[in-house]
């Protein structure tokens, strides 16, 4: 057996793994002993990497649909040559007819941990001449980065290993960030860390510390009341505020009435608990707010909630200080972007997202993507290529996504597996998985540990069947349509070497250091040297630029537009509150649901319902029920539990037979960031007919409405 040390590309954590190969086949996966990140451990997903890799659901060769589009046609096998030729011809024809902007490319969250994927997807679109590249930056995590850039002029991140107090705020790392979950458990066991959990669901870690259970979407109010306590009890960092914060006077006035009692009425959390957390946070020097990656940003007040967290960090002097939020040294990979002059979608409608500090991001607002394809405004987008994503299950508002695909003339999905999105595409192209190619591993931007590191992600086995590395698929398609000059690379190694070429480390060095390399020491109190890269050169508690671009310069509580407080009429019909997408360790998005080992642990989805809510609808634990919004209905079993707030219905995403994205509405958005709201929508439960209600639920059929 040969052992190959690499990193796990199944999710953003990039844990160190040892892969064992026998006769060219992956046979076993273990955590790399003593690895700095995951300490020799791996999560449930990686434990089933062998099964997942050799799954019957792998795409084996390119296919095209004949006899109709979307659900109507049938797939036939074609060669790679035929696929490139036909797709290339169609792309050129569409460009001729509608202009280059008729192409939209989209990559999923895998493009975050698989650098070549997002880089080549983007390069292809732009080389083609289209500004329409979309990715999870437009629905997932960019809001929190942007908010921190607005406040601090840069992106400081948490250092959970260094903190004496952690506030897990809308974040359940034991599900979504396995290595951080390990760290917290270890620290708790050693008595080295205190914990506060602020979450609508009572997650397992909530039993280990002080637990606050807010009404969904009210976290900004809690944060404002914490500011009130910290300021009016004189617990703030005077020196830092005076020297380094802009707009403190305005903030003092702004939070004057935002007492813990005020926030208690909005959030349902006891005022005494709010002030207690505020005091704990302010008085603990090394304390970090560790929030969900996207979770609270995916509410309608997402960007402002993030700004409120930034302000808490700033007024307690916890930025650029050990155990707080610190600025990470950055590793720069080579930039493969090709400039285009045309504006991306959302540029004018969402100026803060697209124009702050005159910086234009190289991706469009994802919420505008389906809308533009459906309405053909500002122009027809007729070609859609998805790679490393399963938008039929993952994109919020499935109905609109499918309407959009109906209005295209070319719809392609590039993926290692026959996903629900592949099933509807005109062409499917088989990509290999991360263990079948050499590429960039580790995480150069530090994620939640502030430890930027890179390594060589090594090819463990040869690509299965006719699958190919994603970079080569984009490159060969590029060569097909005369864009060869943009794609000069011939091998995985050449691509990786090019990407590493700006990092300060060479490909050869990484070959010699199979465990990867870390970069740069975190510099504390760096502001003393360089200040903050904002207009005022200080931390902008109040942001004049935000106000100039049409949003309040200080964050405020805002009800989700479908909450029962904001819209009592809607609540009369849909009185409950929908939460979607809380992670569980066994699955990533819609991936790996076909893996038997994982299904043995978590066979089907359950929606969490409080007993009081369940009683209202006469629904029993384990009973199949309907969950309905104005957008549609899905069926899922109820898990009746006191671990969730009454009235909140927590529904996992990524399940084909019960696709929760059918229930979301792409028009309900954060007006600042353009993010489609994934939580806080109005919903109701439906008691199903005991016989007929059960008949029509099939776990593996996509729910298409
Ligand atoms: N295993 C696994 N890991 C993943 C993923 C996966 O699918 N599976 N996905 C990856 C991706 S794409 C992302 S973006 C991240 C997501 O990572 P996170 O956004 O951190 O998601 P969770 O860890 O599930 O934590 C979110 C928590 O927020 C709580 N919550 C919901 N609404 C509210 C609210 O209004 N207020 C408060 N205070 N809490 C609330 C939920 O109950 C849940 O416990 O995870 C990444 N990691
Ligand atoms: N309702 C609701 N919807 C959500 C969320 C939510 O919380 N609630 N979360 C949202 C968030 S934060 C995100 S980031 C998105 C994620 O959305 P997606 O990224 O679309 O979700 P996944 O199901 O993880 O799809 C990833 C796809 O990449 C494929 N893949 C894996 N490895 C490779 C590879 O090496 N090469 C290629 N080419 N493909 C590969 C997988 O087979 C899979 O089909 O979902 C969003 N959708
Ligand atoms: S958390 Fe699990 S799936 Fe994600 S990188 Fe680590 S071992 Fe792989
Ligand atoms: Mo995400």
């Amino acid at each position: 057996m040969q052992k190959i040390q690499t990193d796990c590309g199944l999710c953003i954590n990039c844990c160190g793994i040892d892969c064992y190969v026998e006769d060219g086949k992956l046979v076993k996966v273990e955590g790399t002993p003593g690895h700095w990140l995951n300490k020799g451990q791996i999560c449930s997903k990686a434990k089933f990497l062998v099964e997942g890799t050799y799954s019957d659901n792998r795409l084996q060769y390119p296919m095209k649909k004949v006899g109709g589009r979307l659900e109507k046609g049938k797939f036939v096998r074609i060669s790679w040559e035929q696929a490139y030729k036909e797709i290339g011809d169609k792309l050129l024809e569409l460009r001729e007819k509608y202009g280059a902007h008729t192409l939209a490319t989209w990559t999923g969250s895998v493009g975050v941990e698989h650098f070549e994927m997002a880089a080549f997807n983007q390069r292809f679109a732009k080389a083609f001449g289209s500004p329409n590249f979309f990715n999870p930056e437009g629905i997932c995590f960019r809001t929190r980065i942007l908010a921190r850039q607005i406040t601090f002029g840069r992106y400081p991140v948490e250092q959970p290993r260094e903190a004496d107090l952690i506030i897990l705020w809308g974040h359940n790392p034991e599900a979504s960030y396995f290595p951080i979950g390990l760290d917290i458990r270890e620290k708790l066991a050693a008595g080295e860390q205190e914990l506060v959990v602020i979450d609508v669901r009572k997650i397992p870690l909530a039993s280990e510390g002080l637990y606050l259970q807010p009404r969904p979407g009210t976290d900004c109010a809690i944060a404002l009341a914490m500011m009130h306590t910290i300021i009016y009890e004189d617990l703030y960092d005077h020196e830092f505020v005076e020297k380094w914060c802009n707009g403190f006077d305005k903030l003092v006035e702004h939070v004057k009435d935002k007492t813990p009692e005020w926030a208690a009425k909005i959030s349902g959390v006891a005022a005494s608990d709010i002030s207690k957390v505020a005091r704990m946070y302010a008085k603990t020097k090394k304390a970090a707010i560790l929030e969900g990656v996207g979770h609270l940003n995916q509410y309608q007040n997402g960007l402002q909630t993030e700004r409120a967290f930034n302000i808490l960090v700033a007024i307690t002097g916890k930025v650029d200080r050990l155990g707080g939020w610190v600025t990470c040294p950055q590793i720069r990979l080579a930039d493969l972007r090709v400039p285009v002059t045309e504006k991306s979608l959302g540029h004018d409608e969402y100026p803060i997202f697209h124009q702050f500090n005159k910086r234009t991001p190289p991706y469009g607002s994802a919420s505008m993507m389906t809308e533009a394809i459906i309405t053909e405004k500002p122009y027809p987008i007729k070609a859609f290529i998805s790679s490393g994503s399963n938008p039929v299950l993952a994109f919020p508002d499935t109905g609109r996504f499918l309407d959009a695909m109906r209005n295209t003339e070319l719809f392609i999905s590039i993926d290692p597996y026959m996903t629900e999105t592949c099933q509807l595409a005109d062409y499917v192209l088989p990509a290999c998985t991360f263990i079948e190619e050499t590429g960039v591993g580790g995480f150069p931007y530090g994620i939640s540990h502030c430890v930027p590191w890179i390594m060589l992600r090594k090819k463990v086995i040869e690509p299965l069947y006719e699958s190919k590395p994603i970079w080569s698929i984009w490159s060969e398609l590029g060569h097909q349509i005369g864009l060869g000059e943009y794609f000069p690379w011939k091998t995985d190694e050449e691509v990786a070497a090019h990407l590493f070429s700006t990092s300060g480390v060479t490909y050869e060095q990484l070959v010699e250091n199979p465990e990867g390399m870390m970069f740069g020491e975190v510099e504390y109190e760096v502001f003393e040297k360089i200040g903050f890269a904002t207009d005022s050169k200080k931390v902008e508690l109040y942001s004049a630029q935000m106000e100039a671009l049409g949003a309040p310069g200080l964050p405020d509580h805002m009800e989700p537009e479908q909450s029962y407080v904001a819209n009592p009429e809607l609540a009369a019909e849909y009185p409950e509150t929908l939460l979607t997408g809380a992670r569980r360790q066994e699955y990533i998005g819609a991936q790996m649901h076909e893996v038997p080992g994982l299904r043995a642990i978590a066979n089907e989805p359950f929606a969490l319902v409080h007993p009081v809510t369940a009683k209202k609808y006469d629904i029993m634990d384990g009973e199949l029920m309907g969950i309905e919004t104005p957008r549609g209905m899905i069926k899922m079993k109820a898990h009746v539990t006191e671990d969730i707030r009454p009235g909140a219905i927590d529904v996992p995403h990524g399940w084909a037979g019960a696709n929760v994205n059918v229930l979301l509405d792409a028009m309900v958005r954060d007006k600042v960031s353009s993010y489609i709201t994934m939580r806080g929508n109005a919903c109701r439960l439906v008691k199903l007919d005991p016989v007929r209600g059960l008949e029509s639920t099939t776990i593996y059929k996509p729910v298409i409405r």
Side-chain angles (χ1 to χ4, degrees):
M1 252 196 319
Q2 189 196 355
K3 181 177 99 175
I4 298 170
Q5 186 181 349
T6 184
D7 75 332
C8 175
L10 283 175
C11 89
I12 193 172
N13 288 299
C14 306
C15 298
I17 53 170
D18 292 345
C19 290
Y20 292 87
V21 179
E22 206 168 36
D23 299 329
K25 231 188 135 194
L26 177 72
V27 291
K28 192 170 75 169
V29 177
E30 286 174 347
T32 302
H35 192 274
W36 75 270
L37 178 64
N38 52 309
K39 304 161 187 159
Q41 306 214 41
I42 47 173
C43 77
S44 340
K45 296 176 285 298
K47 283 182 189 151
F48 292 97
L49 183 59
V50 177
E51 269 189 74
T53 305
Y54 297 103
S55 150
D56 292 344
N57 202 31
R58 283 289 297 260
L59 286 170
Q60 301 192 6
Y61 33 75
M63 293 194 283
K64 81 182 263 194
K65 197 164 271 173
V66 293
R69 293 195 72 212
L70 299 157
E71 55 277 80
K72 298 212 181 79
K74 271 207 164 66
F75 280 119
V76 293
R77 177 178 184 169
I78 55 173
S79 66
W80 276 106
E81 290 68 31
Q82 187 183 346
Y84 292 139
K85 172 85 179 69
E86 289 184 13
I87 293 168
D89 286 351
K90 187 74 186 171
L91 282 174
L92 294 177
E93 178 198 317
L94 292 172
R95 186 165 68 179
E96 185 66 28
K97 202 161 153 194
Y98 302 107
H101 50 212
T102 202
L103 169 66
T105 67
W106 159 260
T107 182
S109 60
V110 176
V112 180
E113 56 264 13
H114 188 318
F115 293 94
E116 296 83 343
M117 170 125 52
F120 276 78
N121 182 318
Q122 180 164 192
R123 189 169 180 82
F124 184 90
K126 305 276 168 96
F128 188 77
S130 174
N132 291 318
F133 165 69
F134 301 94
N135 68 357
E137 306 251 8
I139 53 168
C140 170
F141 55 88
R142 176 54 58 171
T143 291
R144 81 180 202 162
I145 300 177
L146 176 64
R148 292 184 202 186
Q149 286 169 340
I150 290 171
T151 315
F152 303 106
R154 51 179 179 258
Y155 178 46
V157 298
E158 310 79 7
Q159 273 187 315
R161 282 184 182 171
E162 311 297 340
D164 296 333
L165 166 71
I166 283 189
I167 303 182
L168 279 182
W169 206 327
H171 186 32
N172 180 17
E174 290 187 298
S176 60
Y177 279 74
F178 171 77
I180 292 180
L182 292 179
D183 285 342
I184 293 177
R185 285 281 174 195
E186 212 176 272
K187 289 264 179 192
L188 287 171
E192 290 170 2
Q193 209 161 51
E194 266 189 296
L195 191 65
V196 172
V197 172
I198 307 181
D199 199 304
V200 179
R201 304 176 314 148
K202 187 168 186 222
I203 58 171
L205 277 168
S207 313
E208 307 295 327
L210 176 62
Y211 172 50
L212 278 55
Q213 190 177 55
R215 182 166 69 83
T218 61
D219 301 274
C220 190
I222 296 173
L224 289 162
M226 282 171 65
M227 290 173 212
H228 175 98
T229 302
I230 290 168
I231 292 172
Y232 287 91
E233 290 186 10
D234 200 10
L235 300 172
Y236 64 96
D237 183 331
H238 283 251
E239 200 190 324
F240 185 82
V241 165
E242 273 150 37
K243 207 163 158 203
W244 292 110
C245 292
N246 187 41
F248 187 65
D249 296 350
K250 284 197 172 74
L251 180 70
V252 172
E253 195 49 37
H254 184 65
V255 300
K256 198 165 150 193
D257 303 330
K258 298 187 171 57
T259 58
E261 291 70 26
W262 165 83
K265 274 197 204 112
I266 293 171
S267 66
V269 172
S272 54
D273 279 346
I274 297 174
S275 36
K276 188 167 174 190
V277 177
R279 289 177 201 127
M280 281 169 81
Y281 179 65
K283 288 179 183 169
T284 311
K285 220 169 158 196
K286 292 191 257 169
I289 295 174
L290 194 57
E291 59 183 299
V293 182
H295 233 82
L296 301 179
N297 301 161
Q298 290 158 337
Y299 276 95
Q300 255 184 315
N301 200 26
L303 191 127
Q304 296 286 27
T305 302
E306 177 65 40
R307 282 262 299 139
F309 294 163
N310 301 173
I311 294 172
L312 278 172
V313 172
I315 62 172
T316 54
K318 293 185 184 1
V319 66
D320 285 338
R321 287 188 173 142
L322 183 71
W325 286 8
V326 297
T327 308
C328 239
Q330 295 270 301
I331 299 172
R332 296 252 164 249
L333 297 177
D335 188 351
L336 295 189
R337 289 175 292 192
V338 176
V340 279
T341 42
E342 200 174 342
K343 291 175 199 162
S344 51
L345 294 181
H347 183 273
D348 298 329
E349 295 82 351
Y350 299 100
I352 291 180
F353 199 70
H354 290 271
Q355 299 172 35
F356 202 85
N357 267 350
K358 303 198 177 69
R359 279 187 65 240
T360 298
Y363 37 80
S365 282
S367 51
M368 306 274 295
M369 178 177 84
T370 45
E371 196 184 320
I373 302 178
I374 294 167
T375 60
E376 302 192 358
K377 286 192 180 101
Y379 43 74
I381 295 176
K382 292 292 178 184
F384 181 84
I385 309 182
S386 164
S387 63
S389 177
N390 189 357
V392 167
L393 289 191
F395 202 82
D397 199 337
T398 315
R400 275 200 177 80
F401 181 78
L402 295 176
D403 284 348
M405 291 308 107
R406 278 185 201 105
N407 205 26
T408 59
E409 294 178 29
L410 181 65
F411 169 20
I412 299 168
S413 179
I414 311 175
D415 205 284
Y417 299 90
M418 180 48 112
T419 65
E420 291 68 22
T421 302
C422 289
Q423 285 168 26
L424 295 181
D426 299 317
Y427 290 88
V428 293
L429 304 178
C432 63
T433 68
F434 76 93
I435 60 158
E436 294 154 55
E437 59 182 313
T438 296
V440 177
F443 205 84
Y445 313 114
I447 31 171
S448 303
H449 279 92
C450 193
V451 180
W453 66 295
I454 47 176
M455 67 183 284
L456 198 59
R457 182 170 289 167
K458 292 168 213 75
K459 185 193 272 193
V460 174
I461 55 168
E462 287 302 317
L464 294 186
Y465 315 109
E466 288 186 16
S467 69
K468 295 188 186 206
I470 188 85
W471 71 265
S472 76
I473 299 175
W474 286 113
S475 299
E476 286 168 29
L477 196 53
H479 280 272
Q480 178 71 35
I481 58 170
L483 302 175
E485 63 183 294
Y486 293 99
F487 301 99
W489 306 281
K490 301 255 167 354
T491 60
D492 294 1
E493 289 73 16
E494 275 181 33
V495 173
H498 180 75
L499 284 167
F500 289 133
S501 65
T502 50
S503 70
V505 178
T506 62
Y507 181 86
E508 290 70 28
Q509 277 174 301
L510 288 165
V511 172
E512 280 160 26
N513 292 281
E515 72 288 355
M517 297 172 77
M518 288 172 197
F519 282 77
E521 291 285 304
V522 175
E523 205 179 329
Y524 298 102
E525 309 217 338
V526 61
F527 48 82
E528 294 286 359
K529 272 200 211 147
I530 57 167
F532 292 89
T534 55
D535 285 349
S536 62
K537 308 277 178 266
K538 293 183 173 183
V539 177
E540 303 224 322
L541 307 176
Y542 161 79
S543 168
Q545 219 189 117
M546 270 191 83
E547 212 154 271
L549 290 170
L554 280 167
D556 215 338
H557 168 65
M558 192 186 85
E559 280 294 324
E561 71 180 55
Q562 294 195 342
S563 86
Y564 55 79
V565 178
N567 194 340
E569 275 150 45
L570 185 64
E573 276 190 73
Y574 299 95
E576 320 309 337
T577 308
L578 179 68
L579 310 179
T580 77
R583 281 19 180 194
R584 60 176 306 156
Q585 198 187 96
E586 291 77 13
Y587 300 109
I588 312 164
Q591 297 179 62
M592 297 183 90
H593 284 71
E594 77 290 354
V595 175
L598 291 171
R599 290 299 284 260
I601 306 172
N603 188 39
E604 56 182 319
F606 282 91
L608 307 193
V609 186
H610 191 273
V612 171
T613 318
K615 193 155 181 262
K616 233 168 86 179
Y617 295 90
D618 186 27
I619 284 165
M620 304 290 176
D621 187 37
E623 185 176 332
L624 191 73
M625 61 179 178
I627 307 162
E628 192 169 19
T629 70
R631 293 293 292 146
M633 189 177 96
I634 62 168
K635 294 175 187 176
M636 197 177 276
K637 283 186 185 166
H639 174 46
V640 179
T641 168
E642 294 194 340
D643 289 344
I644 183 151
R645 256 190 91 84
I649 314 296
D650 173 67
V651 187
H653 77 302
W655 290 86
N659 177 6
V660 73
N661 279 316
V662 164
L663 305 180
L664 298 183
D665 186 341
M667 303 316 281
V668 182
R669 300 176 189 167
D670 181 328
K671 306 285 182 285
V672 186
S673 72
S674 79
Y675 277 28
I676 300 171
T677 183
M678 300 190 197
R679 294 163 202 104
N681 304 59
C683 75
R684 66 180 171 217
L685 300 182
V686 180
K687 173 92 181 165
L688 297 176
D689 178 292
V691 182
R692 278 182 304 144
L694 298 177
E695 266 172 10
S696 54
T697 297
T698 326
I699 293 287
Y700 271 106
K701 286 249 173 72
V703 178
I704 299 167
R705 294 172 66 102

